[in-house]
Amino acid sequence: MNFVSIGNVKIEKTAALAPMASVADRAYRRVCKEYGASYMVSEMISAKGLCYSDRKTEELCTVLESERPYALQLFGDEPEFVGKAASILMKWKPDIIDINMGCPVPKIAGNGSGSALMKNTELAAEIVRSAVNSCDVPVTVKIRKGWDENSVNAPEFAAAMEQAGAMAITVHGRTRSQMYHGQADLDIIRRVKETVKIPVIGNGDVTSPEAAEKMYAETGCDLVMIGRGSYGKPWIFGQIRHFLETGEHISEPSIEERLRIMLYQAELTVRYKGERVAMSELRRQCSLYLKGMPNAAALRGRCGSLSSIEDLKAICNDILGVENGLF
């Protein structure tokens, strides 16, 4: 097994789980970790919200010990708040603090945070310096290719973040204007890797073991990160690990096993958040677990109105054609 080191944090060089708002919560991270994810990053945490002791924001900081190595990810556009928030995060004992400078959604980028920071390198560097000076763990930064095709600046931006004290850079190979459309640009990740001396994590379009191998081979990146490619198939981390180690494929889980994994995630989410909130948040994820299953098209529509675990079990039993209930 090969490893990459970010500061004093040692990470298996297989595949990491990307930070995804409203997806990569404690339950999902736990499932992905159990299936082989080598590194975890929390959902985005508002620096200002944390500084003002927002209860919902604090809940995002709660991470299981079994998730290590893990990062808590901050977003914000004011250096003083990011620095203070980085200091506050130390009570949760993260291995790494990551700063989001890549989120493309309007409510983040439109307020000057996330990918909007790629338009202001000086401010972004000041934010990194503030975080580095306020905590005693490595600080990393997640970026995009650039704001749009007319302002592709990932290599130069990454170099400035390295100069400011960042100890690793994650690059999503799309511009902000692309959102999640089109193909991720592997060449820009390679260019960032050639520009900086710190580790580079490649992100974008890794949906299979072959895609992970291609990311490593074509970019020279130090670690691969998976976001949407894990939706409805958290076992992809184990498949990638096995393929990179042996060159062989692990067969896909059976339909019954896929349903068991889905229910396991749902039960964990209910445990952490309560049934009403959990089932509402799980509707889209559960529909993705069912994608491609025989006779599941009509049943996937029922995921849109899930309100209880029993609703989900009923869908599973209908897929399997079990009258008395397997689940």
Side-chain angles (χ1 to χ4, degrees):
M1 177 66 64
N2 294 320
F3 293 85
V4 57
S5 292
I6 298 175
N8 61 353
V9 182
K10 192 176 180 182
I11 301 169
E12 292 179 349
K13 195 170 178 176
T14 53
L17 176 66
M20 295 177 286
S22 302
V23 176
D25 59 9
R26 266 194 290 171
Y28 192 65
R29 295 196 306 266
R30 177 169 172 175
V31 175
C32 290
K33 183 69 173 182
E34 291 178 6
Y35 277 91
S38 63
Y39 172 56
M40 325 293 290
V41 186
S42 73
E43 297 176 82
M44 290 190 300
I45 299 161
S46 166
K48 187 171 284 188
L50 187 61
C51 291
Y52 285 119
S53 301
D54 176 71
R55 181 173 297 179
K56 184 177 180 181
T57 297
E58 289 198 21
E59 288 175 1
L60 297 175
C61 304
T62 303
V63 180
L64 299 169
E65 187 68 19
S66 60
E67 292 183 47
R68 293 189 187 278
Y70 70 82
L72 294 177
Q73 188 187 69
L74 289 170
F75 75 91
D77 64 327
E78 297 169 272
E80 62 272 26
F81 281 110
V82 174
K84 183 179 178 182
S87 177
I88 293 170
L89 285 181
M90 290 301 96
K91 71 179 180 181
W92 282 281
K93 299 181 180 179
D95 298 298
I96 290 170
I97 288 178
D98 188 56
I99 302 175
N100 187 298
M101 297 187 184
C103 181
V105 301
K107 70 177 183 179
I108 302 296
N111 288 323
S113 300
S115 55
L117 287 166
M118 294 196 70
K119 297 190 292 183
N120 191 337
T121 303
E122 186 176 332
L123 175 60
E126 191 178 343
I127 287 170
V128 171
R129 283 192 292 269
S130 181
V132 169
N133 292 333
S134 302
C135 67
D136 55 6
V137 299
V139 172
T140 62
V141 181
K142 189 167 194 281
I143 68 173
R144 283 195 162 229
K145 179 179 178 179
W147 180 258
D148 57 29
E149 288 298 331
N150 296 317
S151 55
V152 173
N153 64 337
E156 302 85 358
F157 190 87
M161 299 308 103
E162 178 183 32
Q163 185 72 26
M167 300 191 75
I169 301 287
T170 299
V171 187
H172 184 112
R174 290 181 175 87
T175 63
R176 188 272 174 182
S177 61
Q178 282 182 276
M179 300 292 286
Y180 297 101
H181 304 296
Q183 282 191 316
D185 183 353
L186 298 188
D187 185 62
I188 197 68
I189 300 172
R190 178 189 60 78
R191 286 170 54 196
V192 171
K193 177 60 184 171
E194 292 173 349
T195 300
V196 300
K197 294 182 174 61
I198 55 178
V200 172
I201 301 171
N203 181 213
D205 291 349
V206 177
T207 57
S208 67
E210 290 87 352
E213 184 180 56
K214 180 180 179 181
M215 175 79 82
Y216 278 120
E218 294 192 9
T219 70
C221 68
D222 300 281
L223 185 64
V224 164
M225 181 171 277
I226 305 175
R228 293 173 303 138
S230 70
Y231 284 5
K233 51 177 185 179
W235 50 85
I236 189 174
F237 295 98
Q239 291 176 324
I240 289 172
R241 176 191 294 269
H242 186 77
F243 184 76
L244 293 177
E245 289 179 347
T246 68
E248 299 173 351
H249 288 280
I250 299 176
S251 60
E252 289 290 313
S254 66
I255 290 176
E256 182 178 327
E257 181 61 20
R258 287 165 63 184
L259 296 176
R260 289 189 185 279
I261 297 167
M262 177 180 68
L263 281 171
Y264 175 53
Q265 181 185 338
E267 288 164 352
L268 287 173
T269 309
V270 169
R271 183 189 308 174
Y272 298 141
K273 299 182 178 181
E275 191 165 48
R276 183 183 64 81
V277 172
M279 299 315 297
S280 175
E281 293 184 358
L282 283 165
R283 289 168 183 168
R284 180 167 179 265
Q285 289 195 57
C286 287
S287 72
L288 292 168
Y289 271 102
L290 305 184
K291 188 175 181 180
M293 290 189 181
N295 306 315
L299 294 170
R300 287 178 65 197
R302 286 165 54 185
C303 290
S305 58
L306 285 172
S307 60
S308 69
I309 283 286
E310 293 307 312
D311 291 343
L312 188 57
K313 289 180 178 179
I315 290 173
C316 293
N317 287 326
D318 286 346
I319 288 173
L320 295 173
V322 179
E323 293 184 8
N324 297 323
L326 181 63
F327 294 104

